[in-house]
Amino acid sequence: MKPGIHPNYHNITIIMTDGTTYQTRSCMGKEGDTLRLDIDPKSHPAWTGVQRMMDTGGQVAKFNKRFAGLGLKA
């Protein structure tokens, strides 16, 4: 390997969404930095299989009202 071209590889602390922590090695930041996750395998629907529908400003209700009859035969 060529000297001087590789990033510094060091220990950092990862904080999961539920507050649990673990140590890992990374090129992110500097030695001893902390990475707080917003999404992780314990909370993301892709891994948990639990889907939540959030209705922001009534957009889901507006969509359902607009397309309620779509696909129904007269």
Side-chain angles (χ1 to χ4, degrees):
M1 294 192 325
K2 290 184 179 179
I5 64 168
H6 300 286
N8 184 17
Y9 194 56
H10 49 270
N11 289 328
I12 64 168
T13 302
I14 306 292
I15 301 176
M16 306 289 269
T17 56
D18 65 353
T20 58
T21 63
Y22 67 92
Q23 294 281 327
T24 189
R25 294 180 53 84
S26 175
C27 296
M28 185 210 90
K30 57 187 180 296
E31 180 77 29
D33 276 356
T34 301
L35 176 64
R36 183 175 297 275
L37 299 179
D38 293 331
I39 298 173
D40 64 19
K42 295 180 182 180
S43 65
H44 195 277
W47 288 285
T48 61
V50 177
Q51 192 78 359
R52 292 183 302 181
M53 183 179 290
M54 296 176 64
D55 188 4
T56 306
Q59 290 187 4
V60 173
K62 182 179 175 183
F63 177 86
N64 288 337
K65 180 180 173 187
R66 177 182 264 179
F67 297 106
L70 190 64
L72 298 176
K73 301 241 180 195

